[in-house]
Amino acid sequence: MDCNIPNTDKKRVVIVGGGFAGLEIIHKLKNSEDYQLVLIDKNNYHQFPPLLYQIATAGLEPTSITFPFRKMFQKYNNFYFRLAEVQDIHFSENRIVTSIGDIEYDFLVLAAGTKTNYYGNKEVETYSYPMKSTVEALNLRNIVLSNFEKATISTDETEKKALLNIVIAGGGPSGVEIAGALAEMKKFILPKDYPELSDYPLNIFLIEGADRLLGPMSKKSSANAKSSLEKMGVNIILNKKVSNYDGAKVFLEDGSTITSKTFIWVSGVTAVQFGNTPKEMTGRGGRFLVNEYNQIHNYQNVFAVGDICFMTEEKYPNGHPQVAQTAIQQGRQVAKNLKNIAGGTPMEAFHYKDLGTLATIGRNKAVADLGSFKMHGFPAWLVWLFVHLRSILGVKNKLMVLIDWIWNYVKYDQSERYILAVTPPAEEQLLPAPVEEEPTALVTTENKKETTISFADHDPVPVASVDSQQL
């Protein structure tokens, strides 16, 4: 037995990752007469990434956007879930090495998605706060609320400013959405919860290395998002790159700095890697190079789907967008092709169908690109609400999210404002020296050595979020 998984006469399909793509494959192959399905994931639940920013800003409970795998697949035959982390893959031996032992496979599907990309900057990785998982979003909520509490008792003006300056790196949907949510906290929550901070404004900075926000979306949607955020009081900084962060200051490549104790990094992703994956297997962003059937080159029984793979089409020479719809569509096609293999019929090539792109900014504010049709404001916000509510797993979760949304809308109140635990981004001994007294300007210019953030094998790149949320 492999990790207590029985050997049968059925072909074993091992799926690494229970995200959108992995779940789609399992659902389409459930109770198969041809395949035994094995899901490997380091968490025992599926999470809904498009709403992580609402966990981080006290709008939703973490349990509202998570769903346990074992409950999801209770009635599935020939299905096994193992809580483990894949450490290495021996492609020539049809075997994966996991934290609980080795597992052999007949077919392998890699659907582990991506992780936060720090572009090799260790200090940014050490001191910043990412928002790529439920745990990270909950930790960010704890930090934001804890810093509000610290600001109420601080007698040092400079420290108080640092605690009330929130800097976000990355102007994609994740950055735009959390900036908007924080701006609403500033307007509706802080005056009620923290009256002692009435003379000290909460300053929100959104930094984007490109010349506009929401790069994957249309220029019209980008302009609408920028205008809405500015009206909400968000300070938007375009055409500038973050070079470093030491836990007290955000350094930009032009020499300017922003004093802040809360630096949120949503500025890009890189594919999850497994052990010593040969470099010739991967391309841009560490993604596995695949053919039109999602097969990794030279291995016909190994598929990569969703964010972790790199496939090109005529309309997508730089690869498909790393969004939920790509993962769902590819997962569906791979499941169909596995059925074709079992039935002895030819596989069918994958072709991506763009269903549109959405991003919410705040209350009654969103932007939507639906083909040639562009929407913004309240209509786009309603579309965003419907699409995301429909996509959440579980009837109970849908109801919980809907109730929270209605409550927040009617009462102007994000109700999940409690601190469960605080995990600092580094050990205490690594924390930088206290913030020195500065001029009254929030953004200052100093003569500092410029540091670039770059891929190991590519030219320096601007701080820009590469993820987006699509229908």
Side-chain angles (χ1 to χ4, degrees), residues 15 46 160 187 232 256 296 369 422 424-425:
I15 300 152
H46 169 80
K160 194 183 290 283
K187 181 177 180 180
M232 296 168 72
S256 60
I296 292 179
D369 288 349
V422 175

Side-chain angles (χ1 to χ4, degrees), residues 274-308:
F274 309 100
N276 297 315
T277 301
K279 279 193 173 182
E280 59 268 20
M281 280 190 178
T282 60
R284 183 179 182 181
R287 299 156 75 180
F288 282 95
L289 300 171
V290 299
N291 61 17
E292 67 271 28
Y293 307 111
N294 283 93
Q295 295 170 307
I296 292 179
H297 297 308
N298 300 324
Y299 294 95
Q300 294 186 347
N301 66 333
V302 182
F303 301 83
V305 292
D307 293 354
I308 204 171

Side-chain angles (χ1 to χ4, degrees), residues 288-365:
F288 282 95
L289 300 171
V290 299
N291 61 17
E292 67 271 28
Y293 307 111
N294 283 93
Q295 295 170 307
I296 292 179
H297 297 308
N298 300 324
Y299 294 95
Q300 294 186 347
N301 66 333
V302 182
F303 301 83
V305 292
D307 293 354
I308 204 171
C309 80
F310 186 85
M311 180 195 297
T312 60
E313 291 187 70
E314 184 177 351
K315 290 179 62 178
Y316 302 97
N318 295 318
H320 296 115
Q322 291 174 287
V323 296
Q325 266 304 314
T326 304
I328 292 170
Q329 292 178 31
Q330 288 185 343
R332 188 178 301 141
Q333 189 62 46
V334 166
K336 184 176 182 180
N337 282 333
L338 285 170
K339 290 180 180 180
N340 289 350
I341 291 172
T345 57
M347 292 190 297
E348 298 177 18
F350 173 77
H351 297 288
Y352 177 62
K353 182 179 180 181
D354 186 358
L355 299 180
T357 309
L358 300 170
T360 185
I361 303 159
R363 183 186 185 87
N364 300 332
K365 301 180 183 71

Side-chain angles (χ1 to χ4, degrees), residues 171-246:
S174 294
V176 166
E177 289 174 347
I178 194 168
L182 288 168
E184 292 194 329
M185 288 186 73
K186 171 183 177 179
K187 181 177 180 180
F188 299 117
I189 303 301
L190 260 69
K192 295 184 294 184
D193 281 14
Y194 302 94
E196 55 266 71
L197 296 178
S198 58
D199 295 332
Y200 301 91
L202 175 65
N203 298 291
I204 303 164
F205 298 86
L206 178 58
I207 304 173
E208 167 58 47
D211 60 357
R212 65 186 181 94
L213 303 177
L214 300 175
M217 299 188 72
S218 65
K219 291 184 178 181
K220 181 178 180 181
S221 292
S222 173
N224 284 326
K226 181 175 182 291
S227 175
S228 295
L229 286 174
E230 288 176 335
K231 289 177 182 177
M232 296 168 72
V234 177
N235 302 287
I236 298 174
I237 302 174
L238 300 176
N239 293 308
K240 290 190 178 182
K241 305 174 186 178
V242 171
S243 63
N244 213 347
Y245 178 62
D246 62 6

Side-chain angles (χ1 to χ4, degrees), residues 23-56:
L23 294 192
E24 189 69 17
I25 293 172
I26 294 169
H27 288 320
K28 295 299 181 183
L29 295 179
K30 66 180 179 181
N31 303 327
S32 171
E33 296 181 358
D34 301 299
Y35 296 115
Q36 177 193 73
L37 304 179
V38 179
L39 173 62
I40 308 294
D41 201 291
K42 64 181 180 180
N43 299 311
N44 74 332
Y45 56 86
H46 169 80
Q47 59 188 1
F48 190 69
L51 294 182
L52 286 174
Y53 81 96
Q54 292 200 14
I55 304 298

Side-chain angles (χ1 to χ4, degrees), residues 76-242:
Y76 284 25
N77 298 322
N78 301 313
F79 171 82
Y80 298 88
F81 169 71
R82 292 295 179 263
L83 182 66
E85 193 162 358
V86 175
Q87 298 171 335
D88 206 352
I89 302 174
H90 297 282
F91 295 97
S92 60
E93 301 174 17
N94 293 341
R95 176 170 59 90
I96 64 173
V97 180
T98 80
S99 54
I100 60 173
D102 293 5
I103 300 176
E104 295 181 350
Y105 60 84
D106 294 292
F107 294 95
L108 176 64
V109 181
L110 301 177
T114 57
K115 59 183 180 179
T116 301
N117 192 350
Y118 298 98
Y119 307 103
N121 192 307
K122 294 300 182 182
E123 285 196 297
V124 168
E125 183 176 359
T126 298
Y127 295 113
S128 68
Y129 296 96
M131 196 180 61
K132 198 72 177 64
S133 68
T134 304
V135 173
E136 290 175 348
L138 181 59
N139 185 58
L140 179 55
R141 183 182 81 181
N142 294 333
I143 292 297
V144 169
L145 295 176
S146 294
N147 283 349
F148 291 165
E149 297 294 336
K150 291 176 183 177
T152 63
I153 61 174
S154 175
T155 57
D156 184 279
E157 294 294 313
T158 302
E159 181 186 37
K160 194 183 290 283
K161 286 182 181 179
L163 291 167
L164 294 175
N165 283 354
I166 299 177
V167 181
I168 305 160
S174 294
V176 166
E177 289 174 347
I178 194 168
L182 288 168
E184 292 194 329
M185 288 186 73
K186 171 183 177 179
K187 181 177 180 180
F188 299 117
I189 303 301
L190 260 69
K192 295 184 294 184
D193 281 14
Y194 302 94
E196 55 266 71
L197 296 178
S198 58
D199 295 332
Y200 301 91
L202 175 65
N203 298 291
I204 303 164
F205 298 86
L206 178 58
I207 304 173
E208 167 58 47
D211 60 357
R212 65 186 181 94
L213 303 177
L214 300 175
M217 299 188 72
S218 65
K219 291 184 178 181
K220 181 178 180 181
S221 292
S222 173
N224 284 326
K226 181 175 182 291
S227 175
S228 295
L229 286 174
E230 288 176 335
K231 289 177 182 177
M232 296 168 72
V234 177
N235 302 287
I236 298 174
I237 302 174
L238 300 176
N239 293 308
K240 290 190 178 182
K241 305 174 186 178
V242 171

